[in-house]
Amino acid sequence: MNTILCIPRLEEKISKDYIFSLFRRLNWGYIESIRESKLAKESGYKRVVIKLRFNRENINIMNRINEGETLKLVYSEPWYMRICKFKPLHTPVTN
């Protein structure tokens, strides 16, 4: 039940530790990894990719994300982050 989530645009000042603690409090499942990368065309912003193993109690959230729904997670009223399924920019070549 692994899913790779994406927060497509987030201010750089929001730390990886803060994101980890936020997802830990949500208790959606086991956080395997969190990767950050700067947005090339938007200074001061980054993209966050989270590899998460959903627990059985939250399988409905995983299904909604896998079906293409974007969720809004309020982290500091009125600020929120969008969470969606990760879509790689490049498709791997298979022979």
Side-chain angles (χ1 to χ4, degrees), residues 1-7 19-20 23 29-35 48-54 86:
M1 293 190 278
N2 286 349
T3 299
I4 301 177
L5 307 175
C6 180
I7 302 170
I19 296 165
F20 179 84
F23 273 83
Y30 178 74
I31 302 161
E32 293 185 6
S33 65
I34 297 177
R35 293 180 310 202
V48 180
V49 177
I50 303 165
K51 189 172 183 184
L52 184 70
R53 190 177 334 136
F54 275 90
F86 175 71

Side-chain angles (χ1 to χ4, degrees), residues 16-79:
K16 191 175 185 177
D17 289 336
Y18 181 79
I19 296 165
F20 179 84
S21 68
L22 183 64
F23 273 83
R24 190 130 188 239
R25 277 184 276 143
L26 288 171
N27 195 29
W28 284 356
Y30 178 74
I31 302 161
E32 293 185 6
S33 65
I34 297 177
R35 293 180 310 202
E36 302 174 307
S37 58
K38 290 184 178 186
L39 293 180
K41 296 181 180 178
E42 287 189 77
S43 130
Y45 291 93
K46 62 184 174 183
R47 173 176 291 115
V48 180
V49 177
I50 303 165
K51 189 172 183 184
L52 184 70
R53 190 177 334 136
F54 275 90
N55 56 33
R56 294 189 187 276
E57 296 82 30
N58 294 302
I59 202 78
N60 61 331
I61 296 170
M62 182 189 81
N63 289 337
R64 288 171 58 191
I65 291 170
N66 284 334
E67 289 169 1
E69 190 172 337
T70 299
L71 306 180
K72 291 181 182 177
L73 175 61
V74 176
Y75 60 90
S76 179
E77 189 73 40
W79 304 108

